[in-house]
Amino acid sequence: MTKVITTGNFKGGVGKTTNAVMISYELSNMGKKVLMVDFDPQANTTDLLFTTMKKVLKKDPVYEITLANAIFDHQDLRPALINVKENLDLLPSYKDLQAYERFLYDNFSDDYSMDNYFNKLLKEIKSDYDFVIIDVPPQMNKFTDSAFVASDYVIIILQTQERSLKGAETYVDHLLQLTDDYDLATDVLGVLPVLMQNGSDLDKDVIDDAVDSFQKQNLFKNHIKQMARLKRFDREGITNNNSDVHDKNVHKVYINVVEEMLERIELLQK
């Protein structure tokens, strides 16, 4: 059965897009069929995957239908699908997705109908995939609410700084409120720490506070350390050169994260 996972935090700049894309990438390399949904008008996920297609995979990401076009004009997500690589498809964002909330308010009269609309569209295609990963803006809005309603699981991305922790706490509180309002079955899969500086006192303090807030078992055992290669991916695309130790290190970290993620899903399903 397809698993739909949203990654996020109500604090911007915590690495949610990078982690969503890398999780999708590693799942696809494991033979899982993955759909990456760029549900953020800033389109950072789309930029990263398009850069990877052009500079690494030597593919031209030609498309005529954006995610917004598919939602507003077609009421069907299929026309917007783009194949990035084997086992990995993308629903690409563009600045026109900014009109999503206005579209909902113009066409629906209640929050439940608005927040369920994207879920209805996604249900038509999600059975084609093992995993759907959704990246959303770092705000409390209809993008986030729509993604929550469509999701089976949520991964909280926690950069080790105080404002990120507060954003994570608010994120979970909002999810719990929506879960109660709509009787959702959405589970928090875990909190994934993204460390600013390896071994710094600040990192340790924030992790300790996160343990107090979320309980130790809810934090991923695998942490994302600060890696220069991840920054290079934004500019040059995701490379996966087995003879390059930096590439190997980055992918090993994310393989470990994905394996832990799969273990967490299995435990929650028991």
Side-chain angles (χ1 to χ4, degrees), residues 2-3 10 20 32 49 52 91 98 105 120 122 127 137 158 164 169 172 215 228-230 256:
T2 308
K3 307 295 187 298
F10 282 148
K32 307 295 185 183
L49 288 176
T52 300
L91 282 172
Q98 294 177 31
Y105 285 114
K120 290 180 179 179
L122 186 62
S127 62
L158 174 66
S164 178
E169 292 169 343
V172 171
Q215 300 185 339
R229 183 53 53 95
L230 276 177
N256 291 341

Side-chain angles (χ1 to χ4, degrees), residues 160 195-205 225-226:
T160 48
L195 306 182
M196 295 175 62
Q197 295 179 357
N198 299 343
S200 75
D201 290 339
L202 175 60
D203 289 341
K204 295 175 183 177
D205 288 344
K225 296 182 179 180
Q226 196 174 52

Side-chain angles (χ1 to χ4, degrees), residues 210-234:
V211 168
D212 290 339
S213 294
F214 303 113
Q215 300 185 339
K216 186 174 183 179
Q217 68 269 23
N218 292 320
L219 268 67
F220 274 70
K221 296 176 183 177
N222 289 281
H223 298 179
I224 306 299
K225 296 182 179 180
Q226 196 174 52
M227 294 177 284
R229 183 53 53 95
L230 276 177
K231 294 181 180 179
R232 201 183 83 171
F233 285 172
D234 284 333

Side-chain angles (χ1 to χ4, degrees), residues 141-153:
N141 53 28
K142 289 301 179 187
F143 293 97
T144 296
D145 291 356
S146 296
F148 279 169
V149 170
S151 294
D152 301 297
Y153 304 104

